[in-house]
Amino acid sequence: MNQNPPIRRRRAHLSQFSTTVLHPRNPWVIAFFSFSYPGFGHLLLDRYIAGFILILWEMFINQKAKINLGIFYSLTGDFSKAMEMIDERWLILYVAIYMFGIWDGYRTTIDLNKQYILANRENAPIQPNSIGPWDLNFLDKRNPWVAVLWSVLFPGLGHFYIHKVLVAFFMFAYTVAIMYFGDLPQAIHLTMIGDFDLSRQIINMQWAMYLPSIFFFIQYDAYTSAIHYNALYEKEMAKYLRDHYQNKQFKFPI
């Protein structure tokens, strides 16, 4: 009988640039973030390629259809202006991909939760580190609130702290582009010197409306990822100690 059967399902994978881990997720939370911004739900599932594609598509189609301006004027009660802003020719193309992102995030979460249960029962070894020519990554305890603090200061910094480099770099560059095209640095400067009227005039709301969803997502993801990475560290350490230091004659309680 084979005493060391091959590993069928891994619980986690460490690369130079990120840590991918299976853990229970609430499918409604994933669906909510996919609803708030297409692609965010997929990033929470560590499905980076699909997430990046949906995020870039959201920016492209939103700019063409002027959906953010429609939302902005609707929130201020100017519904006629909101209707004028939206381009129906592009809006039709927006709906199908938007609904797919929500459905696919919800469906995938349920399937990955099943994979987690099976992988956890198999108790496969966990890779504690990854070292390569570009970077190194290792399991360690990190403070979730420190990750949140850096994410508040600027999206992406908290993810650099927990070594989620792919998401960190993408969200950092994405936020910089949005702030630049939305004239947000100038608006912040004018606000700080007390010129509120000019600040309101210079800001581009079509671009600025992206930021609330981005800041909320980036803080949530940094916080929860830090917690799950800490739990993964504890699981790896516990398994190592059991395999190497547990007396084989020890009788487990029934």
Side-chain angles (χ1 to χ4, degrees):
M1 181 177 180
N2 187 3
Q3 299 297 324
N4 296 302
I7 299 170
R8 189 178 183 190
R9 294 180 178 85
R10 294 187 178 274
R11 290 181 287 179
H13 173 74
L14 268 72
S15 70
Q16 297 177 57
F17 306 110
S18 189
T19 301
T20 303
V21 55
L22 288 174
H23 60 83
R25 297 175 173 94
N26 188 329
W28 290 108
V29 171
I30 304 301
F32 168 77
F33 278 101
S34 296
F35 168 80
S36 66
Y37 205 111
F40 282 176
H42 288 73
L43 292 187
L44 289 174
L45 297 173
D46 297 331
R47 297 186 60 198
Y48 299 132
I49 298 299
F52 294 157
I53 291 173
L54 287 172
I55 289 171
L56 293 175
W57 168 257
E58 160 67 17
M59 183 175 68
F60 170 79
I61 198 69
N62 199 313
Q63 290 301 118
K64 293 295 184 179
K66 303 297 182 185
I67 295 172
N68 279 352
L69 284 178
I71 294 173
F72 172 72
Y73 285 114
S74 296
L75 292 173
T76 59
D78 194 345
F79 300 107
S80 60
K81 184 70 172 179
M83 295 296 294
E84 293 177 10
M85 289 292 104
I86 294 179
D87 189 334
E88 293 84 359
R89 297 172 300 175
W90 290 100
L91 182 63
I92 297 299
L93 301 177
Y94 181 85
V95 176
I97 306 299
Y98 184 77
M99 297 301 297
F100 169 80
I102 299 172
W103 172 83
D104 190 54
Y106 182 90
R107 174 197 65 83
T108 304
T109 305
I110 294 175
D111 291 338
L112 289 179
N113 286 346
K114 296 176 182 177
Q115 292 293 316
Y116 163 77
I117 294 173
L118 296 172
N120 203 45
R121 288 177 179 175
E122 292 177 13
N123 197 29
I126 299 171
Q127 178 187 0
N129 60 23
S130 177
I131 300 176
W134 290 98
D135 205 347
L136 56 89
N137 186 13
F138 56 92
L139 294 178
D140 193 15
K141 282 291 190 75
R142 295 178 173 91
N143 191 328
W145 290 109
V146 173
V148 171
L149 175 62
W150 284 113
S151 298
V152 169
L153 294 177
F154 202 92
L157 297 182
H159 285 68
F160 278 121
Y161 167 68
I162 62 175
H163 205 93
K164 207 169 183 178
V165 178
L166 294 177
V167 175
F169 178 78
F170 180 86
M171 295 307 300
F172 185 88
Y174 192 66
T175 305
V176 168
I178 288 173
M179 295 184 72
Y180 175 80
F181 289 112
D183 295 320
L184 286 167
Q186 297 94 319
I188 293 172
H189 171 73
L190 291 170
T191 301
M192 294 178 67
I193 63 176
D195 196 343
F196 302 109
D197 291 334
L198 185 56
S199 175
R200 286 194 296 268
Q201 295 174 17
I202 198 173
I203 193 171
N204 187 329
M205 293 307 301
Q206 171 60 29
W207 288 95
M209 287 290 290
Y210 291 117
L211 291 178
S213 296
I214 290 175
F215 271 88
F216 180 59
F217 162 77
I218 212 72
Q219 294 171 44
Y220 174 85
D221 188 41
Y223 180 83
T224 56
S225 294
I227 291 176
H228 294 306
Y229 292 170
N230 289 346
L232 185 66
Y233 167 82
E234 293 176 355
K235 286 183 178 180
E236 191 279 330
M237 181 62 68
K239 179 173 175 57
Y240 179 81
L241 294 175
R242 283 195 303 267
D243 292 345
H244 292 82
Y245 293 97
Q246 178 67 62
N247 191 325
K248 295 182 178 180
Q249 304 302 321
F250 179 80
K251 293 182 179 180
F252 287 91
I254 298 176

